[in-house]
Amino acid sequence: PSTPFRPGAARSSARRDQLLAAVLGLAFLGSSMLMQGRLVDSRKTLVREPESNLSSLAGQFPRLTLGGFRGLLAMVLWIQAEEAKNDRKWLELETKYDIIGALQPYFVSVYIYHAWNQAYNLSAQWHSVDSKYKWVLDGQSYLYKGERYNPDSPDLLLEQGHMYFLKLGGSFERIFYRAHWREDIARLHMLQDPDTAQRSGDVTEALKHVYSFTTKPQFHTTLLQDPTRATTRTGYGVSISDPFLFQNRADGKPLDAPVNFRYGLSPYYFAYVEYNRCLAAGAPTTTGLNVIDAWPAMSLRLWCRDDLYYSAQSMHDIFAVPPSQMPSPAKLNDKILEVRDCYRNVQMIAPVSVELFEKHLLKYKYNESTHRKHIRETEAYQKIGLAEQSLFNTLVDWHNAGRTLTPEIITSLTKTLPLYEDAALSVTTWAETVYPMTPGSTPNPDRAEFIKFATALRERAQGIQSMLTTPPTTYPDMSFLTPEVVER
């Protein structure tokens, strides 16, 4: 027979269940209160909230109110952002990127994807190189915004290094980008001019980005004061303190003394710093440590190349033109000091790059074939710098002497000749390391791309010989300064 239904027993069982649920709820609530302090401390080590201000509140408000709908809304905005990109609605696109970042602030891929879109895809939509440059810096700014919420993320730090190394330093527009970046660092003081600071436009916006990046604490920069002391403005270049990086300085100052870069600084320095930060943060998910460990040395190697290319172009622009086309004495003096800074940089940085490569190969011996050629290349850059510096200083003296060959200048030019032969031999050694020649083998056609630099160096020496034999009444042919001695 079935058990008769008894209302009193059902109510008693329901009360018992309710009481048990209440007790469990209080127990869980008490446990959560006890654990709250520990959870807050743990969260602080994983997540860094931006400072409490209006922009931070605007960023946190959607996350606090939308709850689980954030993901759905973010997905819709991703689709709309792609449509805005295709329709060239740039302001709407950047606005959507900002909202997506606010909805998914701890999703590192958001910042990497959109920064890449801005720096690579969107910059390519513009014809003006100034506009392209501004979009590249917008992408880097977006990565730094992501770092505010995701501190010490190896993936973000790696992308920040890549933006300096691969985009500003190595893209199709690299010659413009590198020169623009260098010049911007030398003129940050313009932002302290109220008229300039309030102007709109890509150039001013780019300068604000460069100021924001350059003054970040990881770069150890100090803005230099007006060298004329006519104003109290700062931003006439920067100084950097780094005992390891400047261990080969030749000015007799202590290793930890700042080194001035009044005329700007290659983006490869900034790549070097960000790659080191990436290595300190751990292993990224996209690239192995056996690759990333060499990127700081690679950055210093290309810093040497960048400064040699820049100084070689400057030497050509000064001395391979008729005297009537020379810059004013003040501008000429600044350019001379700037070029000498480039040669100083190469002599300081090249040995450090070689040291870092050697340390890398001790850890990853199987990368020998990849980076031994980079070591030979960097050694060649150091010797090219010595030869170019000797020639440049002699040509400055020649110009100051009315562009006449005095006995002192003849002696100096003669001493420069073996330096160029030594540099050409070093470049040939580098080429043979990359494309070794074996008896009976067919030369690799790409070998010529390296040998041409050795040829250009020997043409420098031939040009010097021609200067030494030019009659005093004849202006020497300076076209030997035209061939490039390093890659662009």
Side-chain angles (χ1 to χ4, degrees), residues 251-473:
D251 57 7
K253 295 182 180 180
L255 296 183
D256 58 351
V259 174
N260 290 344
F261 296 86
R262 179 183 166 191
Y263 302 99
L265 184 58
S266 171
Y268 287 113
Y269 164 73
F270 299 88
Y272 162 79
V273 172
E274 296 298 9
Y275 286 138
N276 277 327
R277 293 177 68 213
C278 174
L279 288 168
T285 61
T286 56
T287 311
L289 287 177
N290 62 317
V291 175
I292 301 170
D293 188 73
W295 282 104
M298 296 278 282
S299 299
L300 298 185
R301 171 181 69 93
L302 293 184
W303 181 0
C304 293
R305 191 185 75 181
D306 184 15
D307 278 20
L308 284 176
Y309 174 79
Y310 188 82
S311 58
Q313 288 297 113
S314 298
M315 181 158 56
H316 171 272
D317 295 343
I318 294 173
F319 299 114
V321 299
S324 59
Q325 298 180 17
M326 293 281 289
S328 66
K331 291 184 178 180
L332 175 62
N333 184 64
D334 281 345
K335 181 58 69 174
I336 289 171
L337 295 175
E338 182 179 14
V339 171
R340 285 173 172 165
D341 278 358
C342 289
Y343 295 136
R344 173 206 66 187
N345 297 345
V346 173
Q347 299 311 310
M348 284 194 303
I349 302 306
V352 179
S353 177
V354 171
E355 179 182 347
L356 291 177
F357 275 127
E358 295 287 5
K359 288 180 178 179
H360 171 78
L361 292 179
L362 288 175
K363 291 186 286 185
Y364 304 100
K365 298 182 185 299
Y366 47 82
N367 285 340
E368 176 75 23
S369 62
T370 300
H371 293 303
R372 184 57 56 184
K373 61 187 178 185
H374 292 141
I375 292 175
R376 296 290 174 258
E377 179 185 357
T378 310
E379 292 170 344
Y381 288 155
Q382 187 172 7
K383 292 187 177 182
I384 293 171
L386 289 172
E388 292 275 273
Q389 183 177 23
S390 179
L391 175 61
F392 181 79
N393 288 336
T394 304
L395 291 179
V396 171
D397 294 338
W398 170 69
H399 174 75
N400 291 335
R403 300 205 168 191
T404 58
L405 291 176
T406 65
E408 294 79 12
I409 292 171
I410 291 174
T411 300
S412 184
L413 285 174
T414 303
K415 291 181 178 179
T416 301
L417 288 172
L419 296 178
Y420 273 104
E421 181 57 31
D422 191 27
L425 287 173
S426 186
V427 171
T428 303
T429 301
W430 162 36
E432 291 176 348
T433 305
V434 181
Y435 298 108
M437 292 285 292
T438 57
S441 65
T442 301
N444 190 311
D446 292 334
R447 176 185 171 91
E449 289 297 312
F450 296 86
I451 293 298
K452 71 179 182 182
F453 300 124
T455 302
L457 292 165
R458 291 194 170 97
E459 288 180 7
R460 287 273 210 270
Q462 292 171 4
I464 294 172
Q465 291 279 19
S466 178
M467 282 188 69
L468 292 172
T469 58
T470 299
T473 57

Side-chain angles (χ1 to χ4, degrees), residues 46-198:
L46 297 173
V47 175
R48 180 193 304 164
E49 290 284 2
E51 296 79 4
S52 177
N53 53 33
L54 188 58
S55 62
S56 175
L57 179 60
Q60 294 182 41
F61 182 76
R63 292 185 281 127
L64 295 174
T65 56
L66 294 174
F69 287 99
R70 287 187 296 118
L72 179 61
L73 179 58
M75 181 180 67
V76 173
L77 288 171
W78 276 70
I79 297 173
Q80 291 180 352
E82 285 299 302
E83 293 174 350
K85 182 186 74 174
N86 296 332
D87 294 339
R88 297 172 174 262
K89 298 178 180 178
W90 310 123
L91 182 60
E92 180 180 336
L93 177 66
E94 287 197 307
T95 301
K96 284 182 167 54
Y97 281 174
D98 289 338
I99 297 174
I100 292 171
L103 292 173
Q104 299 176 306
Y106 307 115
F107 188 19
V108 171
S109 296
V110 167
Y111 301 101
I112 294 175
Y113 178 84
H114 291 317
W116 179 276
N117 225 357
Q118 289 173 300
Y120 285 83
N121 297 330
L122 300 183
S123 67
Q125 303 295 320
W126 299 83
H127 294 292
S128 164
V129 283
D130 274 319
S131 297
K132 292 176 182 285
Y133 177 69
K134 184 259 182 186
W135 276 101
V136 173
L137 299 184
D138 278 352
Q140 184 70 295
S141 180
Y142 202 74
L143 288 174
Y144 281 125
K145 182 186 296 184
E147 188 184 354
R148 294 168 57 198
Y149 291 97
N150 303 273
D152 302 322
S153 165
D155 289 327
L156 274 176
L157 297 174
L158 180 63
E159 292 302 322
Q160 287 165 192
H162 283 345
M163 199 69 76
Y164 292 117
F165 187 104
L166 298 175
K167 191 59 181 176
L168 287 175
S171 65
F172 180 80
E173 303 87 358
R174 61 191 179 279
I175 303 301
F176 175 84
Y177 288 163
R178 295 196 310 241
H180 202 328
W181 175 268
R182 183 190 300 267
E183 292 169 4
D184 281 349
I185 291 177
R187 58 177 186 157
L188 293 175
H189 58 87
M190 292 176 61
L191 291 175
Q192 298 176 26
D193 181 347
D195 293 334
T196 303
Q198 293 177 5

